Amino acid sequence: MRKFVPMWAMKYIPFALVFFVFILGFGYQHFRIVRTERSLLALESSQSFFSQNFTEDLFKDNLKMMQAIVAESSITALQKELDDLRAANPEDVQIDEVYESLSDLEQKIQRNKSAGLNQPDLTDLRIKWGEDVLDKDFSPIISSIAQQTKLLDDEHAAYLKKLEQTVVAATGYSFQTVQTERGTFTAYVIKVPLSSVRVKTLSASSGTCKDNCQTKSLADYVRENGGFAGMNGSYFCPPDYSSCGGKINSSDFALYDSNEGRWEHKDALGWSETGLLTFNGSDPSFYKKSTEYGGGGVSAGISNYPSLVKDGNIVVEDDDMTTYQKDVKGPRGVIGVGGENLYLAIINSATVKDAAYVIRALGAKHALNLDGGGSSAMFVNGGYVVGPGRSLPNAIVLIK
């Protein structure tokens, strides 16, 4: 039996078809966006996994570095595609503004979380933002996010001001007890005005060395260069590490030999996994990633991983570190700068992240992790205060 559509329903069919086509098109566009976002997250996860493997097998990195470059290029391409997809929507400007505002808010929340500050409860706001998105009413969302971001910024600024008022490091050499959000730590600290010292980064070998590299005691580095203080430098492969596989006493990180006036392992300046601190006379420059260094004259420079502090913010993340760096407490070496001062520190019974909080509490605004453990050594005014530790392929020396 044939069924007829009632006349009253006929007038709704064109509208239903248009609505169906709109939903289908919107759904397909949404599907592409979600698919692209998932691809982006997968690549970022892959890169994070690469980063962890890189740090755990530092001296077998050449192939992995090439993989990282390819991954970063793919991420850039996917980000552009994602931007193009959003731009295809009629409300592209406001949608992008909401997206960027939320990303900024998320970063500020993570920053404050790293500092141990209280986290905002956004449950009710997120419900309201969801309702506004359905209504395509984006202006209240943008305004509300801006208010939350300002609250986070104000709280973090107050926190940094409090830190500046409670800096404990004395000028010169001192043994400190340092209070941080992660607990109380002791540290051997050298704090000196940059204007009063010349920093030298030195290698025992002449030129780039890959295996069976020359080494010296920290005392020899200091005495041979007329220094008054010094500390161990970057990570290296000591003879007792079987995992180094034929790279005895080698350090693959970029280092500017102040005496020879040239970079060793200069190609390692292209590593995004490492941080870099350079000096041009008394002027320091800090780079969270070595790839940010654009060249130029320097008198000293040392790279290592990971970067700890930048602009007063803790920047080291768990994905940047090996299990040993994250979980094992031991001596940790750090170099930092803040205000007009240089900081060298060996922090006791600390993880790498603990060390970041300690060096910031001491007054450093920028800081880089150095070697520690059995290589820890600090030499001040003719004698060891820590060490002597291992014989070192490179070191940092301070000259008055």
Side-chain angles (χ1 to χ4, degrees):
M1 183 176 183
R2 192 177 210 180
K3 293 186 179 179
F4 294 92
V5 179
M7 292 298 297
W8 62 265
M10 292 291 292
K11 63 180 179 179
Y12 291 105
I13 291 176
F15 172 78
L17 287 172
V18 170
F19 181 75
F20 174 76
V21 170
F22 172 78
I23 291 298
L24 184 63
F26 179 81
Y28 175 68
Q29 193 80 325
H30 178 70
F31 168 75
R32 289 187 65 198
I33 292 174
V34 170
R35 183 189 62 187
T36 304
E37 286 176 331
R38 286 177 177 172
S39 298
L40 178 58
L41 289 173
L43 272 171
E44 288 174 338
S45 175
S46 173
Q47 192 173 33
S48 172
F49 176 75
F50 157 76
S51 173
Q52 185 173 3
N53 280 306
F54 169 85
T55 55
E56 290 178 348
D57 194 10
L58 175 65
F59 301 101
K60 298 178 181 178
D61 61 326
N62 291 335
L63 178 59
K64 293 178 182 178
M65 283 307 301
M66 291 303 298
Q67 292 171 341
I69 293 170
V70 172
E72 288 176 359
S73 176
S74 299
I75 287 173
T76 301
L78 279 171
Q79 285 174 331
K80 184 179 184 305
E81 183 180 350
L82 190 60
D83 290 340
D84 292 341
L85 289 174
R86 286 197 173 89
N89 289 279
E91 306 87 356
D92 59 325
V93 174
Q94 284 198 311
I95 288 176
D96 283 347
E97 191 172 351
V98 171
Y99 179 79
E100 291 169 5
S101 298
L102 282 170
S103 297
D104 183 50
L105 178 64
E106 183 180 14
Q107 291 174 7
K108 299 295 175 63
I109 289 172
Q110 291 302 318
R111 177 199 63 189
N112 286 21
K113 181 180 179 181
S114 296
L117 301 177
N118 292 329
Q119 299 297 291
D121 184 358
L122 302 178
T123 304
D124 293 338
L125 280 175
R126 283 172 177 161
I127 293 173
K128 179 64 169 61
W129 295 341
E131 294 171 349
D132 289 338
V133 167
L134 291 176
D135 294 336
K136 298 184 180 178
D137 190 6
F138 299 116
S139 295
I141 305 176
I142 296 168
S143 176
S144 178
I145 292 173
Q147 292 175 3
Q148 292 299 316
T149 301
K150 184 178 185 305
L151 290 174
L152 291 166
D153 284 340
D154 289 346
E155 186 176 12
H156 192 258
Y159 167 74
L160 291 180
K161 185 175 181 180
K162 183 179 178 181
L163 281 181
E164 291 176 357
Q165 295 170 348
T166 57
V167 168
V168 298
T171 301
Y173 164 74
S174 59
F175 180 76
Q176 298 283 334
T177 299
V178 187
Q179 302 281 345
T180 76
E181 304 93 314
R182 294 174 68 88
T184 302
F185 300 86
T186 58
Y188 303 89
V189 183
I190 298 172
K191 173 188 173 184
V192 290
L194 282 162
S195 59
S196 70
V197 297
R198 183 154 55 102
V199 180
K200 279 191 172 186
T201 46
L202 301 165
S203 173
S205 300
S206 178
T208 295
C209 177
K210 296 288 188 181
D211 187 21
N212 291 316
C213 303
Q214 295 179 3
T215 62
K216 294 180 182 179
S217 68
L218 179 60
D220 285 343
Y221 280 106
V222 176
R223 289 167 179 155
E224 290 173 5
N225 288 276
F228 71 94
M231 201 176 89
N232 61 273
S234 57
Y235 286 135
F236 69 99
C237 262
D240 52 323
Y241 277 25
S242 59
S243 60
C244 286
K247 302 189 77 174
I248 296 174
N249 288 327
S250 66
S251 177
D252 289 353
F253 298 102
L255 179 103
Y256 187 85
D257 192 312
S258 299
N259 285 348
E260 295 191 359
R262 62 180 177 179
W263 285 100
E264 294 189 0
H265 300 285
K266 189 174 182 179
D267 59 331
L269 291 171
W271 294 355
S272 62
E273 303 295 331
T274 59
L276 174 69
L277 181 59
T278 66
F279 299 86
N280 189 359
S282 297
D283 296 325
S285 295
F286 180 76
Y287 307 91
K288 181 184 174 184
K289 296 182 177 182
S290 298
T291 50
E292 297 169 358
Y293 171 67
V298 300
S299 57
I302 189 167
S303 67
N304 205 57
Y305 80 92
S307 293
L308 302 179
V309 182
K310 181 175 174 60
D311 296 323
N313 297 316
I314 303 297
V315 294
V316 61
E317 300 291 343
D318 287 346
D319 287 343
D320 298 333
M321 298 182 288
T322 66
T323 300
Y324 175 80
Q325 290 175 316
K326 285 189 293 186
D327 301 333
V328 177
K329 290 183 176 287
R332 303 291 180 180
V334 182
I335 183 171
V337 291
E340 303 299 321
N341 297 307
L342 168 72
Y343 297 83
L344 294 176
I346 294 177
I347 300 155
N348 297 313
S349 299
T351 64
V352 167
K353 200 163 200 175
D354 293 335
Y357 281 85
V358 172
I359 197 69
R360 184 175 70 173
L362 290 168
K365 302 302 181 192
H366 311 287
L368 178 68
N369 183 56
L370 295 177
D371 202 354
S375 301
S376 301
M378 182 178 284
F379 191 89
V380 181
N381 295 329
Y384 285 102
V385 294
V386 179
R390 297 185 176 100
S391 190
L392 304 169
N394 62 64
I396 302 164
V397 172
L398 304 183
I399 302 169
K400 291 183 179 178

